[in-house]
Amino acid sequence: MEFKYSRIFILGFGFFGISIIWALYNAYIPIFLQDTFHMSKTVTGFIMTIDNLFAVLLLPFLGALSDMTRTKLGRRKPYILLGAPSAALMFALIPIAREHGNLALFMGTIIFMNFFMALFRSPVVAFMPDITPSEKRSQANGIINFMGGLGALLAYFGGKVLYDMNYAYPFYFGAAIMLLANLLVVLAVPEPEEFRVSGEKISLRKLLAETSHKSFGELKENLKDVFASHERSLLAILLAVFFWFVAFNSLETFFTSYVKYHLYGIPVGAPETELTRKIESTGAFMLGVFSLSFMLFAIPAGFIGARLGRRRTITLGLLMVVAIMLGAFFVGQTSRPSSPSLSDPVIMTFMGLFFLGGIGWAMVNVNSLPMVVDMTTEEKLGGYTGLYYFFSQAANLLAPPLAGAFLDVIGYETLLPFAMVFFILALVTVQFVKRGDVVRTRGDALDYVPDMD
């Protein structure tokens, strides 16, 4: 199949829709849990790991299952068609469950939503390398992340306007957009011909049995590759992924709470008012600035990774993010905003820092998945994609309860230093990566190089 950037942009709508859902979920669910259901920060953190628990348990299996699937639609699309509509419905029901104040109903809704999101996320991610040659994957991943950033941006900025009117509106809006975006992917992006079959019946039982054996056996073999190889590049990049996602997920989960309870000093459990809603949406808007710069820089970050090398680009991005965390911590400890207005000097300072932080995060995130998948063969792309997400979701599984425990013991001032420590650990670890890069040679040509000594 001929490679086309336009096709990658359309595929990016899958990530666009997914990003809308997760941005809204991470911005507002922790506040719902603390204010409506009076959860501690640690318990809130544990509940916020449900999506990551499903990801750790299911993504390697689903990546391998989609690798082996053959249908008239292809090997990735059936999971999108099953998962996206179901997840959209559950997401739209979240504010209704909160309105009833029934914890069991609320938890059931978010558990099912997380399950259905896990069902199609790994196949969507693996779709990109299916239709992209190795030397174009950093650029293609930049486009994908640009679209994901655009989705998060719409969630944070558009969601603020909707949330100020009614806290349920962003959930209805996000569900509809995610559903439409993924249906566009199914209708407009063809899968490679070799993954499509015509008129052939497949045994679902046999497929699941073979996939279960293949996925967990493959995960075991892939993990053996990670830990047993004398060459430590795969282990190093996956540990770096683990560390920076611990940092990032902690921020994403608790930053809106940090703004409300630390910067503005609103007591946990205070009655909901127009002012508290504006404060909550202001915290989400500040994360939106991070997503704005991430979106704007996602495509350039892919091309920079192709020119400078992925490891060097990731290193530069991590240095930027660590510096931004240090600056934001200083501002948060020495200043307080006087109103939820976006023109408040403290809020504007945070937004300026986060704009720079989003640039650094794009340099890191865009170039990491291509490094991992370029350490394997075409036949194992889905399995290695699942391996990448196994480590990233394991990090996300640890991050919220660990960060929540620090916040319970010390307070919200712990959040930014906590994240900074893990970004530094990622910075150190990534220096040991020696494979999975591309370098510029012979003018404009790009050659894949297995080693970077």
Side-chain angles (χ1 to χ4, degrees):
M1 180 183 295
E2 181 186 359
F3 173 75
K4 294 181 180 179
Y5 280 112
S6 60
R7 190 173 289 143
I8 299 299
F9 268 107
I10 298 174
L11 176 59
F13 275 97
F15 294 79
F16 173 86
I18 291 171
S19 293
I20 288 177
I21 295 296
W22 290 129
L24 294 171
Y25 183 86
N26 288 320
Y28 298 119
I29 297 300
I31 290 176
F32 293 175
L33 291 169
Q34 292 174 82
D35 280 350
T36 303
F37 300 105
H38 311 293
M39 300 290 184
S40 70
K41 303 173 189 67
T42 305
V43 173
T44 297
F46 274 109
I47 292 173
M48 293 301 292
T49 65
I50 291 172
D51 61 318
N52 307 310
L53 179 61
F54 277 128
V56 168
L57 295 176
L58 294 179
L59 288 191
F61 173 80
L62 291 169
L65 179 62
S66 66
D67 278 351
M68 297 179 65
T69 299
R70 298 293 185 272
T71 71
K72 292 180 180 180
L73 290 173
R75 60 177 179 173
R76 313 298 183 190
K77 290 182 181 179
Y79 302 94
I80 301 174
L81 285 173
L82 180 60
S86 304
L89 175 62
M90 292 296 105
F91 190 71
L93 291 175
I94 287 176
I96 298 174
R98 184 203 183 192
E99 184 69 27
H100 282 79
N102 186 308
L103 179 59
L105 178 62
F106 186 82
M107 290 300 302
T109 303
I110 65 173
I111 287 171
F112 277 107
M113 175 230 136
N114 279 287
F115 171 77
F116 289 122
M117 289 294 291
L119 188 62
F120 75 100
R121 182 163 45 174
S122 188
V124 168
V125 172
F127 206 158
M128 184 275 284
D130 278 351
I131 60 175
T132 308
S134 172
E135 68 275 8
K136 296 289 187 181
R137 284 175 184 158
S138 276
Q139 298 94 314
N141 206 39
I143 294 170
I144 293 298
N145 280 276
F146 169 86
M147 296 300 291
L150 184 61
L153 189 68
L154 180 62
Y156 290 132
F157 289 177
K160 174 176 172 53
V161 177
L162 295 173
Y163 194 88
D164 287 348
M165 293 188 287
N166 188 304
Y167 69 81
Y169 290 170
F171 289 85
Y172 302 152
F173 173 79
I177 295 298
M178 190 270 283
L179 178 59
L180 293 174
N182 280 279
L183 288 178
L184 176 62
V185 171
V186 170
L187 294 173
V189 183
E191 296 205 34
E193 186 65 34
E194 61 266 29
F195 304 134
R196 287 180 277 157
V197 297
S198 179
E200 179 180 334
K201 293 184 178 180
I202 51 176
S203 169
L204 181 60
R205 179 180 298 179
K206 181 179 178 182
L207 179 63
L208 290 174
E210 290 180 358
T211 301
S212 180
H213 175 75
K214 179 179 184 291
S215 64
F216 295 110
E218 185 176 90
L219 178 61
K220 180 180 177 180
E221 290 301 314
N222 290 341
L223 289 173
K224 189 182 295 183
D225 289 345
V226 172
F227 293 104
S229 174
H230 70 279
E231 202 283 316
R232 299 297 186 181
S233 289
L234 184 58
L235 175 60
I237 187 60
L238 291 173
L239 283 177
V241 167
F242 177 84
F243 289 139
W244 70 55
F245 274 109
V246 168
F248 182 77
N249 190 262
S250 300
L251 287 171
E252 191 176 38
T253 299
F254 285 111
F255 184 76
T256 307
S257 301
Y258 168 87
V259 171
K260 179 178 181 180
Y261 304 127
H262 178 68
L263 288 185
Y264 284 94
I266 303 296
V268 175
E272 180 183 332
T273 65
E274 182 179 352
L275 175 63
T276 60
R277 282 203 311 273
K278 287 184 176 180
I279 289 173
E280 292 163 8
S281 64
T282 295
F285 191 95
M286 292 160 71
L287 287 175
V289 174
F290 191 94
S291 295
L292 172 62
S293 59
F294 178 91
M295 179 197 72
L296 294 175
F297 209 71
I299 295 175
F303 284 91
I304 290 172
R307 176 177 290 272
L308 295 182
R310 292 166 181 161
R311 183 181 64 182
R312 291 179 181 176
T313 305
I314 289 172
T315 297
L316 180 58
L318 286 169
L319 286 170
M320 290 180 61
V321 172
V322 168
I324 293 308
M325 290 296 102
L326 184 61
F329 172 71
F330 177 78
V331 173
Q333 291 301 104
T334 59
S335 307
R336 292 289 182 273
S338 58
S339 75
S341 170
L342 298 176
S343 62
D344 184 274
V346 176
I347 301 302
M348 291 183 68
T349 301
F350 264 96
M351 290 193 296
L353 289 170
F354 277 21
F355 187 88
L356 296 175
I359 294 175
W361 182 238
M363 296 169 72
V364 173
N365 210 34
V366 164
N367 290 287
S368 55
L369 177 60
M371 291 195 81
V372 174
V373 297
D374 274 350
M375 293 183 190
T376 189
T377 61
E378 293 294 320
E379 291 77 16
K380 297 176 70 175
L381 284 175
Y384 263 51
T385 300
L387 185 63
Y388 171 90
Y389 277 90
F390 177 83
F391 274 80
S392 64
Q393 297 302 327
N396 294 341
L397 191 62
L398 173 67
L402 182 60
F406 272 82
L407 300 180
D408 271 329
V409 173
I410 303 176
Y412 273 106
E413 61 268 24
T414 311
L415 181 62
L416 296 175
F418 178 91
M420 185 167 56
V421 167
F422 280 93
F423 278 127
I424 292 172
L425 289 173
L427 176 62
V428 172
T429 307
V430 83
Q431 305 313 307
F432 295 94
V433 179
K434 303 297 181 183
R435 294 192 293 133
D437 215 330
V438 289
V439 295
R440 179 168 290 275
T441 60
R442 298 191 305 276
D444 291 331
L446 289 172
D447 285 347
Y448 170 69
V449 287
D451 295 292
M452 303 186 302
D453 294 325

